[in-house]
Amino acid sequence: MSDGEWQAIRPLMPWPAWLHGNGGRPEKYCRRLIMDAIRYVVDNGIKWRNLPADFLVPWRTVHAIFTRWWQDGDLYALHNDLREQVRIADGREPEPSAGIIDSQSLRAAETVATSSRGYDAAKKVQGTKRHIIVDTLGLLLVVIVTAASVQDRDGAKPALERLRDWYERITLIWADSAYAGKLVTWAQKHVRLTLEIVKRSDDVSGFVILPRRWVVERTLSWISQRRRCVRDYERLPDHHEAMVLWAMIILMGRRLARSASPQST
């Protein structure tokens, strides 16, 4: 991380339990060093065991902290706080009022369990599928990983339920035609969300940028810039969700650093 990124992220980091008097030993390694090591794995797509010795932190320690921050909810808290900061810097309200949903099928590496993978006949992909919901800026709100054989409409239900639990202000979700049908009625009845289908015009041929839908497609492209997210390499679906969050944390940290730099003022 650059110094600007660290200054944006440092105040939002999870607070060590031992500083609250909750027991445990003081941390041995610098948190900036731990974050750099995790980001290196996410950005370069290497195995945890191949973490360069230059970091001076054992890979087992880095992996253990990566897992603990995910299981304790600290990773989501850091991600959501960063997203609020980016929205405020862009002149928006901290919490969005609308979102866009889409999915992306990924080829699975041999490390992905058989129970977690499936075949997407439409995309001809054997692996997993990530379902994401983003705000109108393209910043991530929800991510859920399922087998690639899960239909978009079926994967959308737990994603929309999680969205409703976490964001009370959101009332409108844009989606493509894969989410049309009974899901529209289900969303209105069970999670009080209006699902608006953005359809492609029958009069248009070739590539066309569709309103609203291009935002979530751009986010999927942002996530895929991190090599660990190009394919699914994780044994647990939860860990791939964590990798997606780290991909967005890298993006938002850099964006905040640029907005705070003297050149941008």
Side-chain angles (χ1 to χ4, degrees):
M1 285 183 290
S2 66
D3 291 339
E5 290 178 78
W6 177 239
Q7 291 304 316
I9 291 175
R10 182 179 180 181
L12 308 176
M13 292 284 292
W15 199 248
W18 65 272
L19 287 179
H20 288 295
N22 295 331
R25 294 178 297 176
E27 294 179 345
K28 182 177 180 180
Y29 299 101
C30 171
R31 287 194 156 199
R32 180 172 180 176
L33 194 61
I34 295 294
M35 285 203 69
D36 277 339
I38 295 175
R39 287 160 56 108
Y40 188 90
V41 172
V42 177
D43 193 30
N44 292 276
I46 64 170
K47 298 179 180 179
W48 289 101
R49 292 176 181 270
N50 292 346
L51 191 68
D54 296 346
F55 282 105
L56 305 178
V57 183
W59 73 266
R60 293 184 184 275
T61 300
V62 178
H63 183 266
I65 294 176
F66 165 86
T67 304
R68 185 173 74 241
W69 284 354
W70 168 257
Q71 293 176 342
D72 293 347
D74 293 330
L75 182 60
Y76 251 117
L78 171 62
H79 171 273
N80 293 347
D81 288 343
L82 279 172
R83 187 189 61 245
E84 290 182 0
Q85 294 296 323
V86 173
R87 288 182 59 85
I88 292 172
D90 197 65
R92 307 296 184 95
E93 292 290 331
E95 186 172 324
S97 59
I100 310 101
I101 188 171
D102 203 356
S103 68
Q104 183 181 40
S105 295
L106 304 169
R107 298 189 185 279
E110 69 278 1
T111 50
V112 178
T114 304
S115 58
S116 301
R117 65 171 73 208
Y119 183 70
D120 183 346
K123 300 294 179 63
K124 295 181 174 57
V125 171
Q126 174 73 33
T128 60
K129 181 182 290 187
R130 53 187 175 219
H131 309 262
I132 69 169
I133 304 176
V134 303
D135 65 8
T136 54
L137 295 179
L139 304 178
L140 187 69
L141 300 174
V142 171
V143 55
I144 289 181
V145 177
T146 67
S149 55
V150 174
Q151 296 294 320
D152 288 354
R153 290 185 293 272
D154 297 329
K157 290 183 178 180
L160 292 172
E161 288 174 340
R162 186 178 295 184
L163 182 79
R164 171 49 63 222
D165 290 340
W166 291 353
Y167 306 97
E168 297 180 355
R169 191 166 176 261
I170 294 181
T171 58
L172 175 62
I173 299 294
W174 287 284
D176 61 26
S177 56
Y179 298 91
K182 295 181 179 179
L183 182 64
V184 177
T185 305
W186 180 91
Q188 187 67 52
K189 180 179 179 181
H190 293 277
V191 290
R192 305 185 310 280
L193 289 170
T194 300
L195 199 62
E196 183 176 316
I197 306 301
V198 181
K199 295 183 178 180
R200 177 188 174 94
S201 175
D202 296 333
D203 301 330
V204 177
S205 62
F207 174 76
V208 177
I209 297 178
L210 298 177
R212 302 297 181 182
R213 279 172 51 182
W214 68 270
V215 175
V216 68
E217 297 288 352
R218 182 183 60 180
T219 303
L220 291 170
S221 176
W222 286 342
I223 294 170
S224 297
Q225 289 178 6
R226 312 277 79 86
R227 292 186 179 180
R228 190 81 180 203
C229 297
V230 172
R231 295 180 69 187
D232 191 350
Y233 297 96
E234 315 308 322
R235 293 190 182 276
L236 300 176
D238 286 354
H239 282 186
H240 186 77
E241 294 179 20
M243 290 295 177
V244 172
L245 292 180
W246 276 108
M248 293 303 297
I249 287 173
I250 293 173
L251 181 142
M252 292 187 293
R254 291 174 177 174
R255 186 174 296 186
L256 287 173
R258 286 197 300 268
S259 64
S261 65
Q263 291 83 0
S264 63
T265 57

